[in-house]
Amino acid sequence: MSILATLLLLVVVVLFHPFLEGAEQIAARNATVSKCSSRKRSAGELRGQICLKSCERNPLQCKHRQCLCDGACGLSCVLPDLRCPWPMAVDNAETRLAQGSNTFGNFMEVTCKPGFRMADGQKGSLSRCQGDKKWSFTAPCEDVSTPPSLCEPLPEIENGYHGDGPYRIGREVRYWCKFGYRLEGASTLLCQENQEWSQRVPICQPVRCPRPAPIAQGTVVTVDRFEYPVGTVIYYLCKREFYLDGPNRGVCLENGSWSQPPSCRARCPILARRSRVVYNGRKLWIDEIPEHQIHHGESITFFCRSQNKTCSFQAESQCFDGVLKLPPCYDEPTYLQYHLFPRRVVSEIPAC
Ligand SMILES: *[C@@H]1O[C@H](CO)[C@@H](O)[C@H](O)[C@H]1NC(C)=O
Ligand SMILES: *[C@@H]1O[C@H](CO)[C@@H](O)[C@H](O)[C@H]1NC(C)=O
């Protein structure tokens, strides 16, 4: 009895072996998919993948889509039922849907035809249906009977990256630098007919800002150096009585220049004395305003006489960097008007 059972089990295992293996493979793939990497822009770009809106920080921001793992793009807002092209022709290869479906996240098996191999020597590889409705890149199947015409592998560079091989003739390879570094030399190299690269390999030089320029009527607060790395923060202060117009901090930008500095704006002297004005909601004689000055950006309201001289109306003026223009309609009362008939000066007569 037990022999019969063992035999039966053996038959089942033999019959369903390919199926079991397939299911295991798929489960293994799903497991790797669930460990989603963070978005690597250059990694995605290298393979021509277009990354959809990222939802790594906030999965709820995908309104009509779902927050799913999209390979090197990381967690992205994806339409889960999108389809990649099928049937799919790949040069010198057979293609098959690994899970029988061409929807997002499923795999296509690319198997090289006899006599062909991928650059890494493999007979085939898997391609994933991406959020941009394209199959992920697989190395092409190459004819193994003729030796490949390749350029030398490109060296890694410090503080930068470049496109992956294989480096076949006609292939253009791009170099990038990390944040805070600037590429010096050619950014793309071409693998030429003679199997030599068209240019020398570029280098990534750190970007630095020069000493920040001083600002008029103010000071720049920083450690004094000859040059500063990208991201350095400096602070601006204005002299007493000057108003800081703009940000109080500056940053060394990625292109080696400082962010826009602020201006220190002067206070405005009030070039009138003999009438009242409205300042900060109060009607005051100009002598009551400290130092007869107002700050940059502040406004003051003057009184002007109507055409028939019987009543007054108001005219406002704003201080801008030391200059306060008196309204054209304002007439400064004379010394006699002010001292002998103070009740008749323009600010004291009835309003129109
Ligand atoms: C550097 O970048 C900033 C902001 O992107 C820009 O305003 C500024 O003009 C750039 N400076 C140079 C020298 O290119
Ligand atoms: C003088 O002009 C103002 C408006 O400009 C008007 O309200 C006022 O009635 C006028 N007064 C006389 C006496 O005409």
Side-chain angles (χ1 to χ4, degrees), residues 196-240:
E196 303 263 330
W197 289 105
S198 60
Q199 313 266 350
R200 297 177 58 165
V201 172
I203 52 174
C204 293
Q205 292 280 26
V207 176
R208 307 222 181 261
C209 285
R211 258 200 204 107
I215 56 167
Q217 310 299 344
T219 41
V220 185
V221 183
T222 171
V223 183
D224 191 34
R225 288 206 206 128
F226 180 61
E227 47 182 27
Y228 300 78
V230 170
T232 304
V233 175
I234 56 174
Y235 291 89
Y236 294 101
L237 290 176
C238 287
K239 283 190 196 161
R240 236 169 68 81

Side-chain angles (χ1 to χ4, degrees), residues 306-311 352:
S306 68
Q307 210 138 36
N308 61 20
K309 317 263 184 203
T310 60
C311 59
C352 292

